Amino acid sequence: MHFQPTEDQEALRAGVRALLAGRYGRAELRAAVDGGPVVDRALWRELGTAGFFALRLPESAGGVGLGLAEAVLVFEEAGRALLPGPLVATHLAAGVVPGAAEGTAVVTAGDLDGGLVAYLAEADAVLGAAGPGVPAGEPVRSVDPLTPLHRVAAPGEVAPYRTAGALLTAALQVGSALRTLELAVRHAGEREQFGQPIGAFQAVKHLCAGMLVRAEVARTAVYAAAVTEDAGEVAAAGLLADEAAVQGARDCLQVYGGMGFTWEADVHLHLKRAWVRARQWRTAAQAEELLAAELLAGAGRPGPGDAP
C-alpha cells in the first residue's frame, strides 16, 4: 500500500485550500465569531458546486465518485480553516437528503454525546430523523461560539453513519492540529525576548516538536484508516486526532503566552472546536471500548506463522 497522496489528491487538497482561503479567511472567521451567520449559505452552495458534499457519491448519481481517502484530505482543509457548520452530516446526507449533495440544504445530525445536536437552528434536516423537518430542541450553551447546540429528545439514528462520521471528524481534528502547529511555529519565529526569537529557547522548541509529532502521527493514522476503512483503525485514528487537536491547541496557547488567551487571538477557537469535536460521532471512551474489543477478538486468531 502507498499512503502518500497522489498528484490528483494533492491537487484536490490545494483546490479546497484555495477555495477556503478566498471565501473563509480570518476576516470571515472573526466576523462570524462577532455575531455574523454561523453557516454561510452562499459558501455552503459553493462547496456543493465544488463537489465537497457529493465527493463520495457515485457519478451515476451526480456525484464525484471518489472515496474516503479523498474525503479526509478535503475535511482536513476544512478543519485547518475552522470552517463551521455540520460539514460531516451534510456530506453523509448526500444522496439521502434532497439538496445535501448540491449544498442547497444544510443537514445536521444527532452526533454529539448526550442527545445534543449542533446547528439545529441553521439546519433544513436532521440525518436519520424519523420524520421530515427539524425537531424542536432546547438551547444549550456551547463552549465554542461557532457551534450552537440544542438538546433534542429524539435526535435521529446515526449508527449507519458512525464510522465514516468519526473518521471525517478525525480529519477535521488533524487539520486543526496542523494549523495550530503553523501558528505556534510562526509566532515562535516572530516574537522576541532577550534579544532573540522565543523559538530559540529549548522549552518552546520542545512544545513545537511535540505538536508536530502528535499531528503527523494522527494524520498518518487517519490516512491509513481511510484506505482500510477498518472500524478499529478508525477508532484509533479518532483517539490520536482528538489528542493532537486538543493538546496541540493547548501547547499553542503556551507558545503564545498571555496573548494566546485573549479574545483577539484565534488559538482559543481551535481549542474550543477541538473540545466539541471530541464528543462527536464517537467519544474517547466509546472508541477505546471498540478498539479493545477488536484487539481482544484478534488475540484469539492464529497468526501467519502459527501452526493450524
Side-chain angles (χ1 to χ4, degrees):
M1 290 184 181
H2 299 283
F3 291 118
Q4 291 296 326
T6 66
E7 289 185 12
D8 288 342
Q9 289 170 336
E10 289 290 4
L12 175 65
R13 184 212 302 273
V16 174
R17 180 174 295 194
L19 170 63
L20 294 177
R23 284 290 283 108
Y24 200 80
R26 188 176 188 276
E28 289 76 15
L29 171 65
R30 299 307 307 199
V33 171
D34 292 338
V38 174
V39 177
D40 183 339
R41 290 277 182 160
L43 174 56
W44 211 257
R45 290 191 294 271
E46 286 185 45
L47 292 173
T49 302
F52 188 100
F53 303 116
L55 192 70
R56 296 190 301 129
L57 202 63
E59 292 184 45
S60 59
V64 182
L66 298 178
L68 270 176
E70 289 76 22
V72 297
L73 298 177
V74 168
F75 275 79
E76 181 184 314
E77 291 303 316
R80 182 180 181 275
L82 266 186
L83 183 65
L87 297 164
V88 173
T90 304
H91 176 90
L92 295 174
V96 178
V97 177
E102 298 81 9
T104 55
V106 176
V107 183
T108 189
D111 55 357
L112 272 154
D113 187 37
L116 297 176
V117 177
Y119 308 105
L120 187 69
E122 290 79 8
D124 302 304
V126 177
L127 186 63
V134 177
E138 177 188 356
V140 176
R141 186 175 181 181
S142 174
V143 67
D144 178 17
L146 295 182
T147 308
L149 301 175
H150 285 77
R151 192 176 304 280
V152 177
E157 179 56 59
V158 297
Y161 309 98
R162 194 173 302 282
T163 298
L167 181 61
L168 295 176
T169 301
L172 291 170
Q173 294 281 61
V174 166
S176 182
L178 291 168
R179 179 57 178 159
T180 53
L181 171 63
E182 292 174 7
L183 293 172
V185 171
R186 184 177 67 189
H187 185 76
E190 295 174 349
R191 175 70 171 170
E192 292 191 359
Q193 286 288 338
F194 307 107
Q196 58 183 325
I198 62 172
F201 300 113
Q202 191 174 40
V204 177
K205 290 179 181 179
H206 284 180
L207 284 173
C208 292
M211 293 172 67
L212 174 62
V213 170
R214 285 190 298 269
E216 289 297 337
V217 169
R219 174 154 65 172
T220 301
V222 168
Y223 288 3
V227 173
T228 65
E229 300 187 29
D230 177 79
E233 293 193 12
V234 170
L239 290 169
L240 291 169
D242 287 343
E243 180 187 14
V246 173
Q247 191 58 49
R250 287 181 180 276
D251 288 349
C252 186
L253 282 172
Q254 293 296 316
V255 173
Y256 266 65
M259 184 185 301
F261 290 88
T262 63
W263 187 255
E264 289 73 18
D266 296 338
V267 185
H268 71 97
L269 297 175
H270 281 275
L271 178 58
K272 292 169 180 176
R273 187 74 57 83
W275 278 335
V276 174
R277 286 195 191 119
R279 309 293 296 183
Q280 287 184 295
W281 295 102
R282 183 178 286 138
T283 65
Q286 292 167 341
E288 289 166 353
E289 289 290 340
L290 189 155
L291 188 57
E294 288 229 342
L295 292 172
L296 184 61
R301 301 173 190 160
D306 294 337

